[in-house]
Amino acid sequence: MSAFQKTPGWLDWDPHPSRPRFRMPKGAVDAHCHVFGPGAEFPYAPERKYTPCDASKAQLFALRDHLGFERNVIVQATCHGADNRAMADACRASGGRARGVATLRRGVSDEELRELHAAGVRGVRFNFVTRLVDSTPREDQAEIAARVARLGWHVVVYFEAPELPGLLDFLAALPTTVVVDHMGRPDVTKPVDGPEFARFLELLREHPRIWSKVGGADRLSVTGPPAVKGETAPYADVVPFARRVVEEFPERVLWGTDWPHPNLKHHMPDDGLLVDFVPRIAVREELQRKLLVDNPMRLYWPEERKGAS
Ligand code: 0GY
């Protein structure tokens, strides 16, 4: 049992996801997921904005195997602040099958960076979503980015679409590959050809260093999941957005389940159904392989790609 009281109304992850119908390419990577605690072993951070249910590394690895993934990229969740122990522990325990993305504060020691790198961390996340974090000065983030660039890491950014104009210069100046979470969180009730999403696509066109995750359909969707568990074609409203990004930038897209799905208010997705979303946004085998295997391997396990075509 957790030593922490969950945020009221918290939705727990689905313990019985269906098996995906989609046959994933060999070596697929779930490139966006988290671990939460367990709180009794890895306490949640005092500055957190929510207290989740526990979601341990063993549960994450069981889900990986059930869904048919071979690897995970574990993104530090804000409920752990800049205490990366739970995420790093999961990476270390994975036998090389998980890499991590950390949260760092300015002043992090070289020794801590070396330890995180040895655990498998290859990126730092800057979060601009104010319901999740207090803001961090841009100078701090710029300094952190310069330090992790020397380790060959990249920067992951999480923001919502209305914030993009104010971030353009900052993102353009970052010295690393930059990965945007959840397509910059478009409002999917707006047209895919409208000015808001055009701004995001323009960002990727102008900056070949900027990548996008195209997961988070459960989070972005307004139409939601199907009424009957196990039915196909959920999250129809997100499909045109994700498909557009995959087809225009096939070498710079990543996908992940987002398990254990923090802060969902209306429903908890069936992770098997979420995997079945992939062939609707990456409609050809070649695109599926890039999205699920080639791109995440290039970014997170580049040493295994040496000599690969
Ligand atoms: C996500 C999205 C959310 C939360 C976090 O680190 C986090 O707490 O990323 C969210 O609430 O939108 O990508 O998991």
Side-chain angles (χ1 to χ4, degrees):
M1 228 187 87
S2 179
F4 291 85
Q5 280 280 323
K6 291 183 280 187
T7 297
W10 183 266
L11 294 183
D12 291 0
W13 46 275
D14 180 349
H16 303 295
S18 57
R19 263 191 211 281
R21 296 173 198 196
F22 171 53
R23 288 177 65 95
M24 266 193 277
K26 199 169 149 25
V29 181
D30 177 352
H32 185 96
C33 51
H34 312 283
V35 287
F36 296 153
E41 190 181 354
F42 300 107
Y44 299 112
E47 73 273 24
R48 70 191 179 280
K49 306 285 187 201
Y50 64 86
T51 307
C53 62
D54 288 337
S56 71
K57 58 181 184 268
Q59 290 163 328
L60 174 65
F61 299 155
L63 180 78
R64 174 198 67 198
D65 296 345
H66 174 81
L67 296 177
F69 287 103
E70 289 192 12
R71 303 180 193 227
N72 297 109
V73 178
I74 307 175
V75 178
Q76 170 76 354
T78 57
C79 55
H80 281 293
D83 175 353
N84 294 289
R85 281 176 298 170
M87 179 273 296
D89 171 71
C91 290
R92 277 191 297 266
S94 72
R97 293 172 68 186
R99 291 258 142 110
V101 174
T103 296
L104 301 175
R105 302 265 181 261
R106 190 176 192 165
V108 59
S109 68
D110 288 336
E111 190 189 345
E112 188 179 340
L113 288 180
R114 270 196 301 274
E115 275 173 19
L116 288 170
H117 191 88
V121 173
R122 295 293 181 268
V124 62
R125 191 186 200 200
F126 297 154
N127 201 320
F128 299 92
V129 180
T130 52
R131 76 182 153 77
L132 292 172
V133 287
D134 296 325
S135 75
T136 303
R138 297 275 164 86
E139 312 81 74
D140 290 16
Q141 291 170 330
E143 192 195 289
I144 291 166
R147 287 183 66 198
V148 303
R150 286 180 227 133
L151 295 167
W153 293 12
H154 61 276
V155 172
V156 174
V157 287
Y158 190 23
F159 58 82
E160 298 184 322
E163 290 155 325
L164 176 57
L167 287 171
L168 288 172
D169 292 345
F170 176 75
L171 297 179
L174 287 170
T176 63
T177 294
V178 176
V179 181
V180 179
D181 277 341
H182 308 326
M183 299 183 283
R185 288 202 65 127
D187 175 349
V188 299
T189 64
K190 293 183 178 164
V192 67
D193 292 316
E196 186 182 271
F197 203 54
R199 203 182 287 135
F200 180 67
L201 295 173
E202 204 44 48
L203 175 77
L204 267 63
R205 273 180 212 130
E206 274 181 29
H207 301 285
R209 282 183 305 106
I210 302 187
W211 295 35
S212 177
K213 287 184 202 161
V214 292
D218 49 311
R219 206 171 273 297
L220 300 174
S221 180
V222 177
T223 54
V228 181
K229 185 175 159 117
E231 219 173 74
T232 50
Y235 313 120
D237 49 349
V238 184
V239 170
F241 290 82
R243 191 168 165 183
R244 177 72 60 90
V245 179
V246 170
E247 290 186 352
E248 187 168 346
F249 309 101
E251 318 286 340
R252 292 189 264 151
V253 283
L254 301 170
W255 189 88
T257 56
D258 199 13
W259 186 89
H261 310 283
N263 300 310
L264 292 185
K265 296 283 175 259
H266 304 296
H267 79 289
M268 180 50 57
D270 168 347
D271 291 284
L273 268 193
L274 271 183
V275 171
D276 285 337
F277 184 75
V278 170
R280 297 170 62 219
I281 62 168
V283 296
R284 297 192 308 280
E285 257 179 47
E286 178 209 357
L287 293 175
Q288 294 160 6
R289 191 175 32 77
K290 287 182 178 181
L291 177 64
L292 295 175
V293 185
D294 297 352
N295 298 343
M297 289 302 290
R298 207 162 76 243
L299 197 56
Y300 289 96
W301 284 270
E303 69 283 2
E304 291 191 28
R305 304 269 317 152
K306 293 225 169 82
S309 59

